[in-house]
Amino acid sequence: MRRRHVPRAARMMTLAIMGVFSCRAPVLADDEDGQRFAIHAQFTYVEQETSDFTSPYRGQNSLSPRIGAETTDATVYAGAALWPGAEAWLNAEIDQGFGLDNTLGVAGFPSAEAYKVGKNQPYLRLPRLFVRQTIELGEARVHVDASANQLAGEHGTDRLVLTVGKVSVSDIFDTNLYAHDQRVDFLNWTAIDAGTFDYAADAWGYTVGTAAEWYQGAWALRAGIFDLSKVPNSAQLEPAFHEFQMDFEIEKRHEIGGRAGKLLITVFDSRGRMGLLDDAVARGQATQMPVDIASVRRYRARAGASLSIEQQVADGLGFFARVGKAGGNVEAYEFTDVDRTAVAGLALQGARWHRGDDSVGVALIENGISAARQRFLNAGGLGILVGDGRLPHPGPEHIVETYYSFAAFRYAHLSLDYQWIDNPAYNRDRGPVSVFAVRIHAQY
């Protein structure tokens, strides 16, 4: 098995941060109106390995048999109250490592802790820097617990929330209680987010923009506008909304048999320089040159929509599901190569076996692509994550993921994760592959 070397600096960072998390508590400052400032932190280490699998040929973006990779990240979240209803947050993060095959080879990529860029040595980033303003619209209040990027206090059940700055679109849109945080629940990209939600982001998953959320009773409406990257899947954003995405969402919270749940409908519309897949294939055939999507990029749109469900079905047991569809004639811009997706799963807390802080989950995922994207990949085209050089026998990706998260001590969890992936990169000629993972996560 081939494995990326873990530098000594990364190993030392891992040990030092784990020591801090084992004995420290969050820094908080309160007054009668709620927190004035807070500092939280998290640390996550993930190691993954692939099994041997059938691989008669491979391309530039193919997954490899018997390969291992590690990622490490540590984040500090610093927040402060500015004026009534307003708080500002800055996140500083140190990252190190790579995803399997440099985060390539599977559209439903098996680690959301892996970005589309990586380095052997730790490096510093500022993933978030934003201001959030809450405007109360009614008298009823609910308590809000302190957490990363959230000061403790109270807010109205009816309210308007404005967010401006650098964030992840998925901080606000397509959230799900049971499958949305790769550091504590599922790892697969298309388990924690709708695979068709091609949300605006740089190569690390963050962007600059603004969002508005209106909460009224059991309903919530959200809208936002965010910068796209300069070119698809780029490390640099296109500033000033020259290329941009608009996001819209409607949420309905409910109870069934006294148990909480919610429905989300999320819609995106991206406007940027994108290529039509069939145009790229036709140009390659006409010029007898390799298929190059960049050669046919023009300013155009790509849109998509998804439905998300979360529902408590018993004490400590939750059900979730997502379905989504996105434009299949245009290249995927930011997230991954998925034109349609369907996901369902369960998450269970460990109180039933006297391990209340433990959790276990299972998810079933199917990702598919359009006929145009099949033709593009079969002609040798490369997507964001996939491209085996040819695709004579396409089929949907079928993924099963299960994890067990063990509460090792107060602030830390150790998780074991297994994923079975059939038709990786939509290719019936390759796979199936098993992906094994260990995750260490600490937070306060």
Side-chain angles (χ1 to χ4, degrees), residues 114-390:
Y115 303 114
K116 296 167 185 170
V117 290
K119 292 185 179 181
N120 279 318
Q121 299 298 327
Y123 61 99
L124 177 67
R125 299 188 305 109
L126 296 176
R128 295 181 181 88
L129 177 59
F130 66 92
V131 174
R132 181 193 301 118
Q133 173 72 61
T134 300
I135 301 171
E136 306 297 348
L137 302 177
E139 298 297 327
R141 295 287 188 271
V142 294
H143 176 74
V144 180
D145 292 330
S147 62
N149 294 325
Q150 178 66 64
L151 295 176
E154 292 185 340
H155 64 59
T157 54
D158 298 339
R159 63 194 185 279
L160 178 65
V161 181
L162 305 175
T163 304
V164 179
K166 187 178 183 183
V167 296
S168 172
V169 172
S170 63
D171 292 341
I172 300 169
F173 296 86
D174 190 36
T175 63
N176 192 291
L177 178 63
Y178 304 111
H180 195 59
D181 188 345
Q182 71 275 10
R183 290 167 176 162
V184 298
D185 52 64
F186 295 93
L187 278 170
N188 192 280
W189 284 23
T190 54
I192 64 169
D193 296 299
T196 52
F197 187 19
D198 195 14
Y199 60 85
D202 60 16
W204 291 273
Y206 299 90
T207 185
V208 173
T210 183
E213 304 172 74
W214 177 45
Y215 294 85
Q216 187 72 35
W219 293 86
L221 298 176
R222 300 182 182 91
I225 183 169
F226 303 95
D227 284 326
L228 293 173
S229 53
K230 285 189 175 181
V231 296
N233 194 29
S234 169
Q236 290 81 39
L237 294 171
E238 179 79 24
F241 305 118
H242 293 142
E243 295 185 278
F244 64 94
Q245 180 178 92
M246 296 176 290
D247 296 296
F248 307 93
E249 188 168 81
I250 182 168
E251 172 185 313
K252 174 63 169 67
R253 298 175 298 280
H254 61 261
E255 287 189 356
I256 298 176
R259 301 191 182 278
K262 76 175 182 182
L263 301 176
L264 284 179
I265 297 176
T266 307
V267 178
F268 75 87
D269 185 5
S270 297
R271 306 293 177 93
R273 293 182 291 273
M274 302 177 238
L276 294 178
L277 301 170
D278 283 340
D279 285 358
V281 173
R283 178 182 284 261
Q285 292 172 343
T287 61
Q288 298 298 303
M289 297 293 289
V291 173
D292 179 16
I293 194 69
S295 67
V296 295
R297 283 179 181 148
R298 303 289 185 272
Y299 196 87
R300 53 175 52 94
R302 183 176 190 244
S306 59
L307 168 67
S308 173
I309 301 169
E310 67 177 56
Q311 180 64 54
Q312 184 186 32
V313 295
D315 291 344
L317 178 63
F319 167 81
F320 66 91
R322 288 186 176 97
V323 293
K325 181 76 171 64
N329 61 333
V330 188
E331 66 175 315
Y333 202 95
E334 308 280 36
F335 188 38
T336 187
D337 309 283
V338 180
D339 295 322
R340 59 183 183 274
T341 188
V343 184
L346 296 169
L348 177 65
Q349 296 301 118
R352 294 170 183 265
W353 54 96
H354 310 293
R355 296 284 307 174
D357 292 329
D358 290 7
S359 61
V360 60
V362 61
L364 307 178
I365 305 166
E366 179 175 290
N367 298 320
I369 52 174
S370 66
R373 206 170 306 278
Q374 291 176 10
R375 290 190 292 269
F376 173 76
L377 294 173
N378 193 39
L382 298 177
I384 292 179
L385 299 190
V386 305
D388 291 330
R390 50 181 163 143

Side-chain angles (χ1 to χ4, degrees), residues 391-428:
L391 190 64
H393 305 112
E397 285 187 345
H398 295 121
I399 302 171
V400 179
E401 179 177 7
T402 185
Y403 72 89
Y404 187 95
S405 177
F406 171 77
F409 52 88
R410 183 178 179 185
Y411 296 116
H413 281 72
L414 170 67
S415 301
L416 301 178
D417 186 277
Y418 171 76
Q419 297 176 56
W420 178 83
I421 304 172
D422 193 25
N423 306 328
Y426 308 106
N427 195 338
R428 295 184 186 273

Side-chain angles (χ1 to χ4, degrees), residues 31-109:
D31 59 22
E32 62 275 11
D33 297 322
Q35 281 186 289
R36 291 180 286 116
F37 64 86
I39 297 177
H40 300 267
Q42 76 82 32
F43 165 83
T44 305
Y45 171 84
V46 174
E47 179 172 350
Q48 288 192 312
E49 297 180 0
T50 62
S51 67
D52 195 10
F53 62 90
T54 301
S55 178
Y57 56 87
R58 58 176 290 117
Q60 183 175 328
N61 286 7
S62 291
L63 186 68
S64 299
R66 292 173 284 107
I67 191 170
E70 302 92 357
T71 58
T72 305
D73 58 69
T75 316
V76 173
Y77 309 85
L82 301 178
W83 54 79
E87 53 191 82
W89 285 90
L90 180 148
N91 297 176
E93 184 168 290
I94 296 174
D95 292 337
Q96 179 275 327
F98 297 82
L100 296 166
D101 280 299
N102 293 325
T103 317
L104 296 170
V106 187
F109 194 75

